[in-house]
Amino acid sequence: MIRSQPHPYIQTWLLFWVILSGAFSSRAQSAEELQKQGNKIYLDKPANALQLFEKAYRMALQRGQINLAANILADKATVYYVRDDYHQATTICRSGLQLSPLADSTRFKLWASLGEMYHRRDRPDSLTWFWQRAETLLTTQPRIEQETLAYVAAFWGNRGTTFMEQGDYRQAERCYQKRLLLGRLQDPINLAIAENQFALFYRQIGQLARADSLYLASIRHYTRPDLIRGGLLLGLIECRLHQLRTDSVLRLEREARQYIPKKGTDGIELAAYLDQSLGKYWEQKRKLALAKHFFVQSLAKGQRLGPSNRLLWRGLLAMSRIAQQQNDITGALAFVQKSIQQASIRFRSSDLRQNPTPTDFLNGPDLFESLCWKAHLLQLVPDQGSNLALANQTYERAFALSDLLQRAYSTELTKLLVQEKLRPAYREAVAVAFACYRQQPNKTTLATLLHRQEQGNASVLRELVGDRQTSYLQLPKHLAEQLQQAKKRLSTAKTTWAEHNPKTAQGSINTELINAELAWNRTYQQLLPYDRYKQLEPDKIKFLQNHLDSQTALLQYTLTPDSLLLTVVKANGVHVLMLPITSPELHRDCSLLRNEVYRNPDPFQYTGQKLAQSLFNRLIGPAWGELQGSKRLIIVRDGPLHYIPFEVLETGQYVNDYLLRHMAITYTYSMHSVIDKYGALPTNKPSVLSMAPFAAPRTLRTADQQDVYDPLPKSDIEADLLSGTHSTAGNASKHTFIALLPKRQLLHLATHAEANDNDPGNSFIAFFPDGASHRLYAHELNLFDLRHIRLAVLSACRTGNGLFHEGEGLLSLSRAFVSAGCPQVITSLWNAHDGTTATLTRLFYHELAQGKPTDIALQQAKLQFLAAQTEGGAYSPPHFWAHLLLMGNPQPVYPKPLNWSWIWGIGVAGIVLALFTYIHIRQKRYR
């Protein structure tokens, strides 16, 4: 039995049983006719339908139609499922599996139905068992998709709904895409259901424009004036409320109420959700009394539907929100505690000091939202002394639940999406931890504050790098091979998808890509028992301080809802400051400075000095006294700071007194990555791989090439600066790069690149077009292990730029290299100037070869470049030198060269001593 949910709030799966009735051919016409009659009347007369199904079942058994009998049992179980008797429905479906022989399509129906029933019974272990077998059967027997198209479509819809409830949005998207593909092969009614499910998904993740268009399409395709159309209208109403488009809400609500039947739980459920929508409508209109009236009505209807209905959780949270807006904080806390109870299995305490355990939940995302709202309310209580500590504890419980949920998410983009949704809670939790630290500045409150900053910072990157540094514990060989095969299949599907549709890949639906990602998810689930997952230790600050010398300081910037915090870590202490800049001011100033720095000033003058000085005074100035004596900075950025090179900030002591002149600067993704990535000093020279695919005067376009790239004549100079493997033009292909990569320790790529802001995994570095795929995509780098690389220099346009994700930073090509284990990457924030980049690179490698750490070598190269410019020279503005940044941990790449002056001195001294000894011995002998 399959439940198809065009809307999670309305049980619209009833439609499928009408569509699927009587679909099997048989010699026993009487049994089939009885089955058809039962399917026609089971919605209105369930008792009569059960009698017909029982009679048809016995008749099919008597005539030896075992497969038909099993299908009749599935229909019989439907009746109990409609009546919410999941236990009896499960028993009947299990009895169908005992019959033999069964067709593969029948076995799939029973397995898929049992998975959905165990989903309704909150039995994730059994759900996984049956759905995995159903999916495996689909994979090995593709013909099932054609034999029972409606069942397979409903199966993917149900899988998508389950993933969405768990918060695994990436997997939900793939399942809904599969559902939509199959819906297009069916009638308009099934297509409408698929569109509605997909619309709900997009609404859930905040892509409201897509959701709105899909809701409108589903309403256009489904024209029957019944309960299902009312559910589709409800989805559109909710979407419009999220968009703050209230003009059409009342009209849509009136139409939806026309389709509510007088009897039945489904009508009550639709009416209750419409009441909640009206409550939200009047809440947006600031008529709180009316809003509260409709929320109370919704709660009353929800209680009639049973204690575990999600309506109650939504209603209680809404009542808490209304109470807070009416300044009734006590009432708001009481309602939110009830909502926590509603989202929990066993937790029933009304004591605000108590919270459920991370594993004690019915719906994890719901419980997380309630806990975060409770923590927010606790900050509003007038006596904040003990309430701040309780808010801290509540956030800790919420994030522990979040960690537990996210462990099961297989894809990187899912983790990123979830992290972005959680980021507002992390920001508020940091503000609470800082308030506690200011009240009681001690080691415990400081450790909590630093832990909060780390929890929401580059967590996905940390996990990806950790997977390479720490393999799965006792992982069987066959699973390791299966893991690599699944990775390769997914990477190949993504590459093919992007190569065939470079302009429209984001909006298209590719069947192989969907199947590859689903296969990767199946493999990932098998790895979880072997995962070496461990929580972050809250206080590693001493370990970090031991790695910082007296001339190095770490600056971590963290945005809170209304401020910017700066944590200064030095070898001799830690200091946390609230900076004098609000979030809107920070975004505005960073945007203005970014525009000035990125653009080529010719023929105009660079005019960013005042902005650069203003940001210096706000970002660095409050800690400038502490930083005296520091020569190196490691900076962890947040928000719009990711787009700003700190080197261009100006102290204001004199003209063009850049921060670059005072300190060497490195950027890293999190404090944790600095702790984990210090390596041993090099003892030998690195083996080099340098490539300049477009150094030739021009690159010809052949018939099978889609791209033509402008020549980069100066890039040949860059690639020839180091002794080692040097490839240009036809020798600098993607195939050559992949073949030589495992044997090299220093990479220099002077080429073209493209940052894809819509899909960061499709950002790429271009190699010479040799007829095959010549793009190295960011998602392909996840297949490589780059821990042996000492330094990668990406001398191409915008390799350090890309889409900003809350809590992760920029999803750039340089980030992909770091995710693959590369400890240091030099990258570019904007379109590089070919000639000046070649000059900077030559100066940089000269300094690097002296055994200097990478950050100091890059600083010295830029200073020498500036010194070579006359005052106001053509290439003195930051556009020509500030684009190259160092990401990672600054370490030497070359060993320090021998100091020959000392060696010569020691040699001469040895010769003099030997000569003196010889003369002394001779004189003694003659005496």
Side-chain angles (χ1 to χ4, degrees), residues 406 412-421 423 426-427 453-465 636-639 642 668-670 673 760 803-812 814-816 818-819 887:
Q406 290 186 73
E412 177 185 350
L413 284 181
T414 291
K415 297 172 190 292
L416 288 169
L417 184 59
V418 172
Q419 187 74 3
E420 192 159 306
K421 289 175 71 69
R423 187 60 173 170
Y426 287 131
R427 293 200 189 284
Q453 291 174 320
E454 284 294 287
Q455 275 184 309
N457 217 3
S459 60
V460 177
L461 174 65
R462 182 166 58 243
E463 180 177 335
L464 289 172
V465 176
V636 183
R637 297 170 292 177
D638 197 1
H642 283 92
T668 188
Y669 290 96
S670 69
S673 64
L803 184 66
F804 172 73
H805 273 255
E806 289 282 2
E808 289 295 329
L810 301 182
L811 295 191
S812 60
S814 58
R815 182 193 187 281
V818 175
S819 299
M887 304 295 302

XYZ file of all heavy atoms in Angstrom, residues 406 412-421 423 426-427 453-465 636-639 642 668-670 673 760 803-812 814-816 818-819 887:
424
model
N 22.087 15.246 11.020
C 22.930 15.491 9.857
C 23.896 14.343 9.565
O 24.417 14.252 8.457
C 23.729 16.787 10.050
C 22.858 18.032 9.989
C 23.677 19.294 10.025
O 24.329 19.652 9.065
N 23.651 19.965 11.160
N 26.988 16.422 -0.090
C 27.553 17.678 0.399
C 26.547 18.816 0.288
O 26.410 19.635 1.209
C 28.808 18.018 -0.406
C 29.445 19.341 -0.026
C 30.611 19.689 -0.918
O 31.039 18.824 -1.714
O 31.091 20.819 -0.833
N 25.805 18.883 -0.814
C 24.871 19.979 -0.994
C 23.733 19.915 0.015
O 23.218 20.946 0.441
C 24.316 19.971 -2.422
C 25.275 20.490 -3.494
C 24.610 20.444 -4.863
C 25.742 21.896 -3.189
N 23.324 18.713 0.414
C 22.311 18.596 1.466
C 22.843 19.188 2.759
O 22.167 19.959 3.439
C 21.934 17.120 1.693
O 21.220 16.655 0.561
C 21.048 16.975 2.917
N 24.058 18.822 3.111
C 24.645 19.332 4.350
C 24.770 20.850 4.304
O 24.530 21.540 5.296
C 26.014 18.683 4.572
C 25.969 17.175 4.754
C 27.382 16.599 4.776
C 27.385 15.086 4.720
N 26.853 14.464 5.924
N 25.152 21.381 3.139
C 25.280 22.828 3.000
C 23.929 23.517 3.152
O 23.811 24.548 3.814
C 25.889 23.168 1.642
C 27.377 22.853 1.485
C 27.787 22.982 0.021
C 28.216 23.768 2.348
N 22.903 22.935 2.539
C 21.578 23.527 2.598
C 21.047 23.522 4.029
O 20.514 24.523 4.524
C 20.623 22.761 1.676
C 19.202 23.306 1.552
C 19.219 24.732 1.032
C 18.388 22.429 0.624
N 21.229 22.401 4.712
C 20.774 22.309 6.096
C 21.561 23.279 6.974
O 21.001 23.969 7.830
C 20.926 20.862 6.615
C 20.640 20.792 8.104
C 19.981 19.939 5.857
N 22.883 23.349 6.741
C 23.719 24.252 7.522
C 23.271 25.698 7.350
O 23.241 26.468 8.314
C 25.184 24.095 7.084
C 26.180 24.858 7.943
C 26.392 24.189 9.287
O 25.834 23.124 9.553
N 27.166 24.816 10.142
N 22.883 26.057 6.135
C 22.436 27.425 5.887
C 21.127 27.710 6.618
O 20.912 28.810 7.117
C 22.289 27.646 4.387
C 22.114 29.103 4.009
C 22.484 29.366 2.564
O 23.614 29.018 2.167
O 21.658 29.918 1.845
N 20.242 26.731 6.690
C 18.984 26.912 7.416
C 19.222 27.013 8.928
O 18.478 27.683 9.639
C 18.030 25.752 7.115
C 17.467 25.761 5.704
C 16.627 24.540 5.429
C 15.318 24.572 6.184
N 14.387 25.604 5.703
N 21.968 28.253 10.300
C 22.895 29.324 10.630
C 22.289 30.431 11.484
O 22.942 30.930 12.400
C 23.475 29.905 9.338
C 24.579 30.923 9.565
C 25.750 30.323 10.311
N 26.859 31.272 10.374
C 27.936 31.095 11.118
N 28.051 30.020 11.860
N 28.903 31.980 11.120
N 22.623 29.401 14.978
C 24.002 29.474 15.432
C 24.386 30.909 15.782
O 25.062 31.164 16.788
C 24.951 28.947 14.352
C 24.938 27.452 14.167
C 24.818 26.892 12.897
C 25.045 26.594 15.249
C 24.800 25.520 12.718
C 25.033 25.224 15.074
C 24.913 24.687 13.811
O 24.902 23.330 13.639
N 23.967 31.866 14.950
C 24.305 33.263 15.210
C 23.716 33.731 16.542
O 24.370 34.417 17.322
C 23.785 34.147 14.063
C 24.480 33.921 12.738
C 24.282 35.127 11.829
N 24.746 34.893 10.465
C 26.012 34.883 10.078
N 26.952 35.066 10.969
N 26.328 34.688 8.813
N 31.073 29.325 18.163
C 31.561 29.889 16.911
C 31.969 28.785 15.939
O 31.757 28.890 14.733
C 32.747 30.808 17.188
C 32.376 32.090 17.924
C 33.587 32.912 18.319
O 34.598 32.374 18.742
N 33.493 34.215 18.176
N 32.539 27.707 16.452
C 33.005 26.618 15.603
C 31.877 25.728 15.098
O 31.965 25.149 14.025
C 34.019 25.756 16.362
C 35.383 26.384 16.477
C 36.049 26.524 15.117
O 36.484 25.515 14.559
O 36.113 27.655 14.606
N 30.803 25.610 15.890
C 29.725 24.689 15.521
C 29.131 25.005 14.161
O 28.777 24.101 13.402
C 28.619 24.740 16.588
C 28.877 23.821 17.769
C 27.720 23.842 18.746
O 27.279 24.904 19.173
N 27.222 22.687 19.110
N 29.000 26.282 13.846
C 28.380 26.641 12.583
C 29.364 27.121 11.546
O 28.971 27.790 10.597
N 30.638 26.783 11.686
C 31.664 27.348 10.811
C 32.376 26.250 10.039
O 33.086 25.435 10.617
C 32.678 28.127 11.655
C 33.174 29.370 10.957
O 32.734 29.694 9.861
N 34.092 30.063 11.574
N 32.195 26.235 8.711
C 32.897 25.293 7.826
C 32.754 23.845 8.286
O 33.686 23.066 8.211
C 34.373 25.668 7.719
N 31.578 23.471 8.749
C 31.387 22.122 9.276
C 31.421 21.075 8.169
O 31.923 19.963 8.369
C 30.063 22.033 10.036
O 28.987 22.345 9.180
N 30.896 21.401 6.995
C 30.898 20.447 5.887
C 32.319 20.228 5.391
O 32.748 19.098 5.144
C 29.993 20.941 4.749
C 30.055 19.990 3.566
C 28.564 21.072 5.233
N 33.069 21.329 5.241
C 34.463 21.226 4.822
C 35.257 20.394 5.825
O 36.054 19.542 5.453
C 35.071 22.622 4.710
C 36.563 22.687 4.415
C 36.851 22.102 3.038
C 37.061 24.115 4.488
N 35.011 20.614 7.098
C 35.718 19.875 8.137
C 35.441 18.377 8.027
O 36.331 17.549 8.180
C 35.294 20.400 9.506
C 35.990 19.734 10.679
C 35.787 20.526 11.960
N 34.395 20.691 12.296
C 33.764 21.855 12.353
N 34.404 22.965 12.029
N 32.500 21.925 12.710
N 34.184 18.040 7.728
C 33.827 16.626 7.605
C 34.472 15.995 6.377
O 34.969 14.872 6.433
C 32.309 16.480 7.532
C 31.861 15.035 7.410
C 30.351 14.913 7.401
O 29.681 15.804 7.936
O 29.863 13.911 6.857
N 34.486 16.720 5.251
C 35.086 16.186 4.029
C 36.575 15.939 4.213
O 37.102 14.908 3.820
C 34.855 17.149 2.869
C 33.412 17.243 2.353
C 33.304 18.376 1.349
C 32.983 15.940 1.729
N 37.276 16.885 4.807
C 38.711 16.713 5.050
C 38.931 15.601 6.063
O 39.844 14.791 5.942
C 39.331 18.039 5.524
C 40.797 17.843 5.876
C 39.204 19.096 4.441
N 39.858 34.083 10.080
C 38.637 33.319 9.806
C 37.531 34.336 9.584
O 37.197 35.097 10.491
C 38.288 32.382 10.976
C 37.050 31.555 10.638
C 39.453 31.483 11.336
N 36.975 34.360 8.378
C 36.004 35.398 8.024
C 34.567 34.891 8.141
O 34.322 33.698 8.226
C 36.275 35.881 6.594
C 37.625 36.542 6.419
C 37.967 36.777 4.962
N 38.207 35.542 4.237
C 38.470 35.485 2.934
N 38.513 36.597 2.223
N 38.687 34.333 2.343
N 33.644 35.839 8.100
C 32.222 35.517 8.133
C 31.480 36.511 7.242
O 31.913 37.649 7.064
C 31.689 35.590 9.567
C 30.354 34.873 9.732
O 29.855 34.310 8.735
O 29.797 34.869 10.850
N 30.367 36.075 6.669
C 29.518 36.948 5.893
C 30.239 37.611 4.724
O 31.034 36.990 4.012
N 34.187 37.561 3.348
C 34.812 36.584 2.461
C 35.219 37.202 1.117
O 36.091 36.664 0.431
C 33.862 35.416 2.203
C 33.779 34.452 3.345
N 32.839 34.553 4.335
C 34.532 33.377 3.662
C 33.000 33.575 5.205
N 34.016 32.845 4.823
N 41.643 31.216 6.469
C 41.277 29.822 6.701
C 39.788 29.748 6.960
O 39.130 30.759 7.231
C 42.080 29.231 7.872
O 41.850 27.821 7.955
C 41.692 29.883 9.190
N 39.225 28.546 6.865
C 37.778 28.401 6.940
C 37.258 28.319 8.368
O 36.109 28.651 8.622
C 37.342 27.152 6.154
C 37.505 27.313 4.672
C 38.639 26.852 4.015
C 36.536 27.953 3.913
C 38.791 27.009 2.647
C 36.680 28.117 2.543
C 37.816 27.641 1.916
O 37.961 27.811 0.565
N 38.070 27.853 9.288
C 37.621 27.751 10.670
C 38.833 27.617 11.583
O 39.923 27.242 11.150
C 36.697 26.538 10.869
O 37.428 25.333 10.752
N 40.256 24.078 11.630
C 41.149 23.648 10.549
C 42.588 24.067 10.825
O 43.529 23.393 10.402
C 40.685 24.228 9.217
O 40.765 25.642 9.226
N 27.772 25.304 -7.484
C 29.214 25.393 -7.241
C 29.991 24.155 -7.666
O 31.167 24.262 -8.019
C 29.294 25.597 -5.722
C 27.973 26.161 -5.346
C 26.979 25.543 -6.265
N 29.764 31.211 -4.847
C 28.541 31.407 -4.077
C 28.838 31.322 -2.584
O 29.505 30.394 -2.127
C 27.518 30.343 -4.466
C 26.133 30.454 -3.811
C 25.424 31.719 -4.278
C 25.299 29.224 -4.124
N 28.351 32.298 -1.834
C 28.550 32.304 -0.392
C 27.479 31.469 0.296
O 26.289 31.633 0.034
C 28.510 33.736 0.142
C 28.521 33.816 1.646
C 29.677 33.538 2.349
C 27.378 34.141 2.353
C 29.691 33.584 3.730
C 27.381 34.196 3.731
C 28.546 33.921 4.422
N 27.899 30.563 1.161
C 26.983 29.766 1.970
C 27.202 30.100 3.431
O 28.339 30.093 3.910
C 27.207 28.261 1.753
C 26.440 27.703 0.605
N 25.320 26.938 0.758
C 26.627 27.825 -0.719
C 24.838 26.592 -0.430
N 25.619 27.117 -1.339
N 26.116 30.374 4.124
C 26.221 30.683 5.548
C 26.916 29.546 6.286
O 26.547 28.384 6.140
C 24.822 30.888 6.146
C 24.136 32.161 5.700
C 24.649 33.382 6.428
O 25.564 33.229 7.262
O 24.154 34.490 6.158
N 27.908 29.898 7.080
C 28.605 28.904 7.882
C 29.676 28.137 7.154
O 30.414 27.382 7.773
N 29.786 28.326 5.817
C 30.788 27.589 5.058
C 31.737 28.503 4.287
O 32.833 28.121 3.960
C 30.109 26.638 4.061
C 29.424 25.469 4.721
C 30.384 24.526 5.417
O 31.529 24.383 4.981
O 29.963 23.933 6.424
N 31.300 29.716 3.985
C 32.125 30.602 3.184
C 31.802 30.464 1.711
O 30.698 30.086 1.324
N 32.784 30.790 0.865
C 32.587 30.746 -0.585
C 32.811 29.332 -1.103
O 33.832 28.706 -0.806
C 33.563 31.697 -1.275
C 33.476 33.174 -0.874
C 34.461 33.987 -1.683
C 32.076 33.713 -1.054
N 31.858 28.846 -1.888
C 32.012 27.536 -2.507
C 32.774 27.725 -3.817
O 32.202 27.774 -4.900
C 30.656 26.889 -2.751
C 29.864 26.554 -1.501
C 28.677 25.689 -1.846
C 30.724 25.857 -0.469
N 34.071 27.833 -3.704
C 34.929 28.160 -4.829
C 35.757 26.947 -5.232
O 35.734 25.902 -4.583
C 35.865 29.308 -4.450
O 36.667 28.923 -3.343
N 39.000 26.913 -5.079
C 40.026 26.755 -4.042
C 39.486 25.958 -2.864
O 40.192 25.149 -2.261
C 40.517 28.124 -3.573
O 39.449 28.902 -3.071
N 38.209 26.157 -2.553
C 37.591 25.384 -1.471
C 37.555 23.902 -1.824
O 37.756 23.043 -0.976
C 36.174 25.889 -1.222
C 35.455 25.176 -0.081
C 33.974 25.517 -0.106
N 33.281 24.997 1.042
C 32.890 23.742 1.187
N 33.150 22.875 0.221
N 32.256 23.334 2.270
N 37.309 23.603 -3.112
C 37.298 22.202 -3.541
C 38.672 21.567 -3.361
O 38.778 20.402 -2.975
C 36.847 22.112 -4.998
N 40.913 22.455 -1.087
C 41.081 22.265 0.359
C 40.252 21.069 0.834
O 40.702 20.275 1.662
C 40.686 23.547 1.113
C 40.726 23.317 2.617
C 41.622 24.691 0.740
N 39.029 20.912 0.296
C 38.189 19.771 0.667
C 38.853 18.445 0.310
O 38.638 17.436 0.972
C 36.833 19.863 -0.037
O 36.144 21.023 0.340
N 44.941 30.546 1.051
C 43.960 29.833 1.871
C 44.634 28.609 2.483
O 45.375 27.899 1.798
C 42.777 29.375 1.014
C 42.074 30.476 0.245
S 41.270 31.695 1.295
C 40.160 30.643 2.216
